[in-house]
C-alpha cells in the first residue's frame, strides 16, 4: 500500500505539471527545468523517486511492467515497449531537472529499470534515444523559428550565413543564443551513470545501434537517390541525421574519455588478449600469413563491438577517426579523413570543432598506445598519414599547433618510410579493416 502511494504521488506530480504548465505538449526533456521544479516541488519528487527505487528493489518485475508498458502474453511471455507511461515520463522529467538530487535519483531509477530482462533494458535504451531525439528536434525547430523571425527584420541577410555566424545589429546579436539540448547539458552524465550500472559496452553499443536504426532508412533512400515530395518529411529526415551526428559525437567522446568506459576501451584496443598473443608458439605465428600489426589482435569480441558501433559513429567523421585510432585501425582512419577532404559538405563548422576536440583527446592517457605507435614509422606509416590528414583539414589554431608539434617530435625517431612504401603498406595491411568496413553500411557513401 505504501509503495503504491509513492508510485501514485509521482504520477500525480506529473499530471499536475501537465495541467498547470502551458507547455505540456513540449517534449519531456525540453521542458523548462526551473518551471517544472517550481510547479511540482523538489522535495515531493525526490521522495516519490525514492519510493520508485524501493518498488524496483522489492517488486522489480511488476514495477518494470507498469513503468515500461510491457505487454505479456499467456504461456510464453512476450515483452514489447507499447507506450511511454506516465511513470516513465516522470522519471525522464526529473532526469532533466535542475535539482542534482532529483536527477541522480531519476538516473538511478532508469538504471534499475534497465537491469532487469533484456527486453526491459532495450525498452529503456529506446525510450532514452527517442527522448533525446525529440528534444534535439524541438530545440532545432525553435532555433529555426527564431532565425526566420529575425530574418524578417534583417532583409538581405543570407539564411545560411545567419545560421553559421549570426548577425549583429546595433552592437547586439539579432539571433538569440540557441538553448543547449539535454544531450549537451546532462546527457553525458546520464549515459555514464547507465554505463557504470549496466555495463559500458552494453549501453554504448545498444544506444549506437538504436541511433543507427533511426537513420538507416534515410540513408537507404539517399543511396537510391529517392526524393520525398513532402517538405516536412525532408525536414524530419534532416532532423534525424542531425541527431545521429550529435549522438555519435557525444557517444564517441564518452566511449573514448569517460572513466566508466575503461573496459570498452580495453576491448577496442585488444588489451584483453595481449598476453594470449604474446604466448603464441613460433609455429602458430608462422601459420599466419601477411598479418599486420593493425589486426594481429583483431579478436571476435573486438570485431563484434566495432560492427555494433561503426554504423552510428560514421555520422561523425571526428568520432569515426577517433574510434579507428584507438582501435589501431589507422588505415581506416586515413580513409575517413581523406573522404572528408573530398566532400566539402562534411567540413562544416561543427565538424571542424569536433576535429579540434579530437586533437586534444588524442593527447589524453587512453591514446597513449596510439602515440607510441608513432615511434614505429616503418611498420605503422598509415598512422602518421592519418594524423597528417587531420592536420591538413584543421585551420591553423592551437589544436593545429599541438598536433603538428606531436608529429614533428616523433619524426626523427625510427627509420621512417617513403610515401611509396607507405602506400604499399596501407594496401597490404588494410585488407582486414576493409573487409569489416565493406560489410558495414557507411553513411559516408550514402551521402
Amino acid at each position: 500500500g505504501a509503495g503504491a502511494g509513492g508510485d501514485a504521488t509521482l504520477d500525480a506530480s506529473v499530471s499536475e505539471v501537465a495541467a498547470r504548465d502551458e507547455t505540456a505538449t513540449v517534449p519531456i526533456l525540453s521542458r523548462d527545468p526551473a518551471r517544472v521544479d517550481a510547479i511540482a516541488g523538489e522535495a515531493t519528487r525526490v521522495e516519490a523517486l525514492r519510493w520508485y527505487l524501493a518498488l524496483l528493489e522489492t517488486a522489480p518485475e511488476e514495477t518494470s511492467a507498469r513503468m515500461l508498458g510491457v505487454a505479456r502474453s499467456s504461456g510464453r511471455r512476450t515483452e514489447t515497449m507499447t507506450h511511454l507511461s506516465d511513470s516513465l515520463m516522470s522519471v525522464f522529467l526529473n532526469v532533466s531537472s535542475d535539482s542534482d538530487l532529483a536527477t541522480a535519483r531519476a538516473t538511478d531509477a532508469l538504471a534499475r529499470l534497465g537491469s532487469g530482462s533484456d527486453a526491459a533494458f532495450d525498452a529503456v535504451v529506446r525510450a532514452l534515444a527517442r527522448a533525446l531525439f525529440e528534444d534535439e528536434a524541438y530545440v532545432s525547430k525553435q532555433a529555426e523559428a527564431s532565425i526566420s523571425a529575425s530574418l524578417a527584420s534583417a532583409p538581405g541577410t543570407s539564411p545560411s550565413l545567419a545560421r553559421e555566424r549570426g548577425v549583429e545589429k546595433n552592437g547586439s546579436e539579432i539571433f538569440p543564443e540557441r538553448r543547449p539540448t539535454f544531450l549537451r547539458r546532462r546527457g553525458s552524465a546520464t549515459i555514464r551513470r547507465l554505463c557504470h550500472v549496466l555495463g559500458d559496452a552494453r549501453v554504448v553499443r545498444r544506444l549506437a545501434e538504436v541511433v543507427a536504426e533511426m537513420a538507416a532508412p534515410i540513408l537507404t533512400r539517399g543511396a537510391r537517390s529517392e526524393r520525398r515530395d513532402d517538405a516536412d518529411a525532408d525536414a524530419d529526415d534532416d532532423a534525424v541525421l542531425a541527431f545521429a551526428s550529435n549522438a555519435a559525437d557525444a557517444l564517441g567522446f564518452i566511449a573514448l574519455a569517460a572513466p566508466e568506459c575503461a573496459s570498452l576501451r580495453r576491448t577496442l584496443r585488444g588489451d584483453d588478449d595481449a598476453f594470449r598473443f604474446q604466448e603464441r608458439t613460433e609455429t602458430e605465428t608462422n601459420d599466419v600469413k601477411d598479418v599486420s600489426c593493425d589486426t594481429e589482435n583483431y579478436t571476435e569480441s573486438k570485431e563484434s563491438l566495432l560492427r555494433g558501433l561503426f554504423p552510428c559513429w560514421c555520422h561523425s567523421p571526428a568520432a569515426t577517426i577517433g574510434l579507428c585510432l584507438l582501435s589501431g585501425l589507422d588505415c581506416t582512419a586515413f580513409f575517413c579523413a581523406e573522404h572528408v577532404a573530398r566532400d566539402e559538405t562534411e567540413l562544416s563548422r561543427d565538424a571542424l570543432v569536433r576535429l579540434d576536440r579530437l586533437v586534444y583527446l588524442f593527447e589524453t592517457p587512453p591514446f597513449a598506445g596510439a602515440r607510441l605507435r608513432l615511434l614505429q614509422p616503418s611498420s605503422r606509416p598509415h598512422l602518421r598519414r592519418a594524423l597528417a590528414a587531420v592536420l591538413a583539414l584543421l585551420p591553423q589554431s592551437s589544436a593545429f599547433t599541438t598536433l603538428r608539434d606531436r608529429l614533428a617530435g616523433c619524426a626523427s625517431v625510427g627509420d621512417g618510410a617513403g610515401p611509396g612504401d607507405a602506400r604499399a603498406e596501407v594496401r597490404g595491411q588494410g585488407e582486414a579493416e576493409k573487409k569489416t568496413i565493406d560489410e558495414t553500411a557507411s553513411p559516408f557513401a550514402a551521402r
Side-chain angles (χ1 to χ4, degrees):
D7 197 9
T9 300
L10 190 50
D11 286 350
S13 69
V14 177
S15 300
E16 183 181 2
V17 171
R20 296 175 56 188
D21 191 354
E22 296 176 356
T23 62
T25 57
V26 173
I28 195 68
L29 293 182
S30 302
R31 309 282 177 87
D32 183 1
R35 185 177 180 85
V36 172
D37 288 345
I39 293 175
E42 177 185 1
T44 301
R45 289 183 291 110
V46 168
E47 182 64 18
L49 284 167
R50 186 181 70 82
W51 276 108
Y52 266 162
L53 289 171
L55 287 170
L56 287 168
E57 182 70 27
T58 57
E61 291 189 6
E62 292 78 3
T63 307
S64 295
R66 185 187 188 285
M67 294 181 68
L68 296 176
V70 294
R72 299 185 182 185
S73 62
S74 58
R76 184 179 178 181
R77 187 175 68 179
T78 59
E79 295 177 297
T80 57
M81 185 71 176
T82 58
H83 66 281
L84 195 63
S85 65
D86 288 343
S87 301
L88 191 56
M89 285 183 63
S90 66
V91 173
F92 278 118
L93 193 66
N94 283 280
V95 166
S96 61
S97 169
D98 277 343
S99 167
D100 292 336
L101 181 56
T103 298
R105 291 273 177 86
T107 305
D108 287 342
L110 278 181
R112 190 71 61 84
L113 277 170
S115 63
S117 64
D118 290 340
F121 171 77
D122 187 73
V124 169
V125 171
R126 288 184 178 277
L128 176 59
R130 189 67 193 178
L132 291 173
F133 165 68
E134 290 176 352
D135 176 56
E136 292 262 341
Y138 175 79
V139 172
S140 178
K141 287 181 179 179
Q142 292 293 103
E144 289 293 329
S146 176
I147 289 175
S148 299
S150 299
L151 283 174
S153 61
T157 303
S158 167
S160 59
L161 180 64
R163 291 187 184 93
E164 288 292 328
R165 301 178 182 176
V167 176
E168 292 188 0
K169 183 178 181 180
N170 298 328
S172 61
E173 193 178 73
I174 291 180
F175 305 111
E177 185 177 356
R178 179 171 173 172
R179 180 179 72 81
T181 63
F182 174 79
L183 189 61
R184 295 178 181 273
R185 289 186 290 113
R186 290 190 180 270
S188 177
T190 302
I191 295 172
R192 288 173 58 182
R193 178 59 181 168
L194 294 178
C195 288
H196 176 73
V197 177
L198 303 176
D200 51 357
R202 187 186 185 199
V203 171
V204 173
R205 175 174 180 168
R206 190 64 192 124
L207 268 173
E209 290 172 344
V210 171
V211 172
E213 289 173 8
M214 295 171 63
I218 303 171
L219 298 176
T220 301
R221 288 195 295 270
R224 297 174 179 172
S225 300
E226 297 178 358
R227 295 185 177 181
R228 306 175 73 176
D229 297 331
D230 189 353
D232 291 337
D234 288 337
D236 292 340
D237 288 352
D238 291 341
V240 172
L241 292 178
F243 167 68
S245 178
N246 292 333
D249 185 56
L251 288 173
F253 190 79
I254 292 170
L256 299 181
E260 293 84 356
C261 293
S263 176
L264 180 146
R265 290 192 292 272
R266 283 196 298 270
T267 301
L268 290 175
R269 286 194 297 256
D271 293 357
D272 293 337
D273 298 279
F275 291 103
R276 181 171 68 82
F277 282 100
Q278 289 178 5
E279 294 170 359
R280 280 179 174 174
T281 64
E282 182 177 356
T283 303
E284 291 174 328
T285 304
N286 291 335
D287 287 341
V288 181
K289 303 297 183 181
D290 299 327
V291 176
S292 72
C293 55
D294 275 16
T295 56
E296 65 179 358
N297 59 351
Y298 204 71
T299 63
E300 182 178 354
S301 60
K302 177 177 178 178
E303 180 177 356
S304 175
L305 183 57
L306 283 170
R307 288 181 183 275
L309 299 180
F310 208 86
C312 174
W313 258 241
C314 280
H315 289 277
S316 170
T320 308
I321 294 171
L323 176 67
C324 292
L325 292 177
L326 182 73
S327 306
L329 307 180
D330 306 324
C331 176
T332 308
F334 173 72
F335 163 78
C336 294
E338 188 179 40
H339 176 86
V340 172
R342 289 174 180 172
D343 187 356
E344 64 181 26
T345 61
E346 296 283 355
L347 274 179
S348 63
R349 182 187 64 177
D350 288 342
L352 291 175
V353 169
R354 291 166 179 172
L355 286 174
D356 189 280
R357 187 166 63 169
L358 175 62
V359 170
Y360 292 110
L361 191 60
F362 187 75
E363 297 296 321
T364 61
F367 283 89
R371 297 196 298 273
L372 285 175
R373 292 202 303 273
L374 282 171
L375 304 180
Q376 307 168 19
S378 60
S379 60
R380 309 305 293 267
H382 39 309
L383 172 59
R384 180 174 291 277
R385 286 167 59 87
L387 292 174
V390 173
L391 186 67
L393 294 175
L394 286 171
Q396 295 197 27
S397 59
S398 58
F400 176 92
T401 303
T402 299
L403 184 55
R404 182 191 61 188
D405 292 346
R406 169 64 66 182
L407 292 174
C410 299
S412 59
V413 181
D415 52 2
D421 296 334
R423 261 186 230 104
E425 196 76 18
V426 169
R427 286 195 299 269
Q429 296 183 2
E431 292 301 321
E433 296 181 27
K434 184 177 183 299
K435 179 177 181 295
T436 300
I437 302 307
D438 286 347
E439 296 175 359
T440 305
S442 172
F444 289 145
R447 292 178 184 174

